[in-house]
Amino acid sequence: MSGAFAWDADWYGIEDPAEAMALSRELEREVSGTHVLFGHVWTAIGRRTRDDVLFLLENGTVAQVRLTWHAESSPDWPAAKVYPDFASWQAVPPEDR
């Protein structure tokens, strides 16, 4: 799926379904019942060398998430910024993402 997107800077598409599944499961483990992403269905589509992962949500929006690698109880973690679509995310300069 990530091949349908044009990546820039140090972001790259996730081509391995096992990697996408592992990142999606990690996000599921981290999201609390009060988190902005709770209740959504997502697929990991891209990442960069740090812990930042881009998820495509079932409604077509995308969320850039900073995974913590811990189960969280705060709605602030993992940090997530939701964009209306991939183009809106990509319109943000890479240094600001």
Side-chain angles (χ1 to χ4, degrees):
M1 162 160 306
S2 66
F5 301 100
W7 299 97
D8 60 9
D10 55 352
W11 286 88
Y12 60 92
I14 298 171
E15 301 298 331
D16 179 5
E19 179 184 12
M21 179 66 72
L23 291 167
S24 294
R25 284 185 181 146
E26 178 58 28
L27 181 57
E28 184 175 352
R29 183 175 80 93
E30 294 184 23
V31 167
S32 69
T34 56
H35 193 274
V36 67
L37 297 178
F38 181 78
H40 284 280
V41 176
W42 52 72
T43 303
I45 59 168
R47 71 186 305 185
R48 62 179 164 185
T49 55
R50 298 181 294 223
D51 296 327
D52 294 323
V53 180
L54 194 68
F55 292 91
L56 177 64
L57 280 60
E58 82 287 349
N59 60 6
T61 61
V62 295
Q64 180 177 327
V65 177
R66 170 66 75 136
L67 294 175
T68 64
W69 306 101
H70 299 288
E72 299 292 346
S73 59
S74 168
D76 298 327
W77 298 104
K81 171 90 172 150
V82 179
Y83 297 87
D85 53 33
F86 183 83
S88 299
W89 172 82
Q90 198 168 46
V92 176
E95 62 272 12
D96 293 336
R97 287 191 234 130

